Amino acid sequence: MADADIIPIGSGGRPGRGSGRRTTPSAAARALAGPNTPKNRPSRTAAQAPGGQPSTDSDRSATTSAPGRSGAGADGAKRAGGGRRRKAKQGAQSAGSGDRIEETTQRTSGPVDGGGDGAAGSGEPGAREFTGPVGVPAGGEWSGVPGAGGVSGVPDGGGLSGVPGSDGAARVEVGEDGAGRDFAAFEKVVRETLGADGERKVAELLAFLRRRLTGDYEVDEFGYDADLTDQVFLSALRPLAEKWFRVEVRGIENIPDTGSALIVANHSGTMPIDGLITQLVVADHTNRPLRTLAADLVFKTPFVGEMARKGGATLASNDDAERLLRQGNLVGVWPEGFKGLGKPFSERYKLQRFGRGGFVSAAMRTGVPIVPCSIVGAEEIYPLVGNLASLARLVGVPYIPVTPFFPWLGPLGMIPLPSKWLIEFGEPIRTDDFPEGAADDPMLVFNVTDQVRETIQQTLYTLLMQRRSVFF
């Protein structure tokens, strides 16, 4: 029978028919009809569907209890309570898929089904305290949990279908989601692998990848890519210099903080690793890039030439050197060239000829200082004991080295030995005091070139005496 067909029974009319004066059911009618009739059931405005219809099937079943059937009302209440418990459990599980929801405690007063202190099915008002997600209104309705029309249907003890509760308190536990746990584990791995500043390094790497993908970087007229050099090339060299060669730097204050300078160094080691380490040392200690001058063979080699351009190298010619110096750059040059790289181990630390002094004339024309640089340790990374000259001429290279480990051990023979490195920058030699046209005087250029060479040679001997061992 529908709710509208229930005939209220009052004490003022004839039994079973009513007097028509009462507009609300009497206490006896409410007791017969059960607690889930419209007058006994709490407000369901938050869970009610448009048009005033119940939002769930369990609510519809609860409202169809007929008077006069004492068991129907109780069974309907049980079914309604079970449906609400299932819906409340599903709502709590769906809420648990996000971040942890802050819990709050709210108190509701009114008739509550299922018994309990002060809240038995007699219809007497009672008070219960519920702990649940934020957004539960003061009326006690669980508006944030789908399918829960109100607080009726909460079982004895206040638990919500498997959620433990006591004294009418129902607590919904929402754990951290899987993404949060995965991120915390990733963050821990980053700290253990990369150290205390691991997060900063990862952030810099991600920013670098974003710039490369979006094209937000610059390349100058020589092909120099500062972003790629700093983030990739120098970052890869830094562990080699700090952990393997244990480079010790002296006289870094002789490099000017601003303006141009020409850094002239000795060359050795079979492979031009000393040039790369010098570039790293200058960048780390002065925060300025070192633009290097390289032989034409470097730029003729596939892939190597392109990477050299991106790393700041350019052709070792007077025109390119002077242009870089006029732009205010630090420029590095190794005048010995391949003669210094490919000399035998028996002639280690004995400087070869410095060419015709082209680097001196470039410094004189631009008026920049010349900073001598002495490098100890590079001679021992690949001890050159032989040279396959015939094969070298066949393939068009200056030499093919033979070391104690290469080519006998294959790729393993290309691993440099962990020698101890000392790098010292000497006092600058000024060139702005020379008269105009001094760069065209070959004798003056030769004298300055010899002065630079002797300064580097004497410093090498001093550093060798100070070094305790080749590898320590």
Side-chain angles (χ1 to χ4, degrees):
M1 181 180 295
D3 294 347
D5 296 334
I6 298 176
I7 300 175
I9 301 176
S11 59
R14 287 177 297 176
R17 298 181 59 185
S19 62
R21 296 192 302 269
R22 298 179 61 90
T23 59
T24 58
S26 64
R30 290 196 301 271
L32 290 173
N36 281 308
T37 59
K39 293 299 292 182
N40 293 346
R41 188 170 58 249
S43 174
R44 294 183 294 126
T45 56
Q48 189 172 358
Q53 297 299 325
S55 60
T56 61
D57 293 340
S58 61
D59 292 337
R60 293 191 186 96
S61 64
T63 58
T64 57
S65 301
R69 298 173 64 182
S70 59
D75 294 340
K78 291 180 180 179
R79 289 193 297 271
R84 292 189 185 93
R85 288 194 296 272
R86 289 192 294 271
K87 295 295 184 179
K89 181 178 181 181
Q90 296 173 0
Q93 292 175 349
S94 63
S97 62
D99 296 334
R100 181 177 294 278
I101 302 177
E102 182 182 0
E103 295 180 350
T104 183
T105 302
Q106 303 215 10
R107 182 178 297 276
T108 177
S109 300
V112 180
D113 298 340
D117 296 339
S122 61
E124 295 296 330
R128 290 290 177 89
E129 186 170 318
F130 294 90
T131 302
V134 176
V136 180
E141 297 181 5
W142 293 73
S143 59
V145 181
V151 296
S152 61
V154 179
D156 294 342
L160 279 180
S161 182
V163 181
S166 59
D167 298 334
R171 181 175 299 274
V172 178
E173 293 290 342
V174 182
E176 294 184 354
D177 59 350
R181 290 192 296 269
D182 293 343
F183 181 79
F186 172 73
E187 191 176 20
K188 180 180 179 181
V189 170
V190 168
R191 290 197 188 100
E192 293 177 352
T193 305
L194 302 179
D197 59 343
E199 295 181 42
R200 177 186 60 81
K201 293 179 181 178
V202 171
E204 290 179 355
L205 176 60
L206 295 177
F208 168 73
L209 294 177
R210 180 188 61 81
R211 291 193 299 270
R212 305 310 293 188
L213 294 175
T214 59
D216 187 17
Y217 59 92
E218 296 181 359
V219 178
D220 69 1
E221 56 181 326
F222 296 94
Y224 172 54
D225 190 339
D227 192 31
L228 182 66
T229 301
D230 293 340
Q231 299 296 327
V232 179
F233 298 158
L234 297 186
S235 297
L237 284 172
R238 194 166 287 113
L240 181 66
E242 295 178 354
K243 306 298 184 181
W244 193 252
F245 296 140
R246 307 173 305 282
V247 178
E248 182 180 338
V249 182
R250 303 176 183 178
I252 198 68
E253 66 277 0
N254 292 320
I255 300 177
D257 297 331
T258 59
S260 302
L262 183 64
I263 298 177
V264 182
N266 59 301
H267 216 13
S268 60
T270 306
M271 299 293 289
I273 295 180
D274 53 354
L276 300 176
I277 297 299
T278 304
Q279 186 178 8
L280 171 68
V281 166
V282 172
D284 286 349
H285 288 80
T286 65
N287 294 322
R288 301 184 62 188
L290 178 64
R291 308 297 297 275
T292 59
L293 302 178
D296 55 354
L297 178 62
V298 174
F299 303 102
K300 292 179 181 179
T301 305
F303 182 75
V304 175
E306 183 180 356
M307 292 298 102
R309 285 284 185 186
K310 292 181 179 295
T314 189
L315 187 62
S317 64
N318 279 16
D319 293 339
D320 287 355
E322 291 175 16
R323 195 191 316 176
L324 286 172
L325 291 172
R326 287 193 176 98
Q327 293 176 359
N329 295 291
L330 294 177
V331 180
V333 61
W334 290 259
E336 293 178 277
F338 290 113
K339 298 188 301 292
L341 280 176
K343 63 177 178 289
F345 187 70
S346 59
E347 298 181 11
R348 59 190 180 277
Y349 298 114
K350 295 179 181 179
L351 297 185
Q352 304 297 305
R353 183 171 174 266
F354 267 25
R356 294 185 296 270
F359 68 93
V360 173
S361 61
M364 287 182 175
R365 288 190 178 95
T366 55
V368 302
I370 299 175
V371 180
C373 177
S374 304
I375 304 173
V376 168
E379 295 276 14
E380 292 86 9
I381 60 174
Y382 296 115
L384 187 64
V385 296
N387 177 20
L388 303 178
S390 300
L391 183 59
R393 286 192 298 268
L394 183 62
V395 298
V397 295
Y399 58 89
I400 294 180
V402 176
T403 71
F405 306 102
F406 182 83
W408 325 116
L409 298 182
L412 292 177
M414 300 178 65
I415 299 176
L417 296 178
S419 58
K420 171 65 177 178
W421 283 41
L422 300 175
I423 300 179
E424 181 171 335
F425 297 93
E427 294 184 2
I429 300 174
R430 299 184 58 178
T431 61
D432 55 352
D433 293 339
F434 294 104
E436 186 177 354
D440 298 326
D441 185 351
M443 290 303 298
L444 181 59
V445 170
F446 177 79
N447 290 335
V448 177
T449 302
D450 191 62
Q451 178 185 355
V452 175
R453 181 180 179 278
E454 288 299 323
T455 302
I456 296 175
Q457 184 68 80
Q458 294 299 324
T459 306
L460 288 176
Y461 291 149
T462 303
L463 294 177
L464 287 172
M465 294 178 63
Q466 295 176 358
R467 188 173 64 165
R468 296 177 300 174
S469 172
V470 172
F471 300 105
F472 301 99

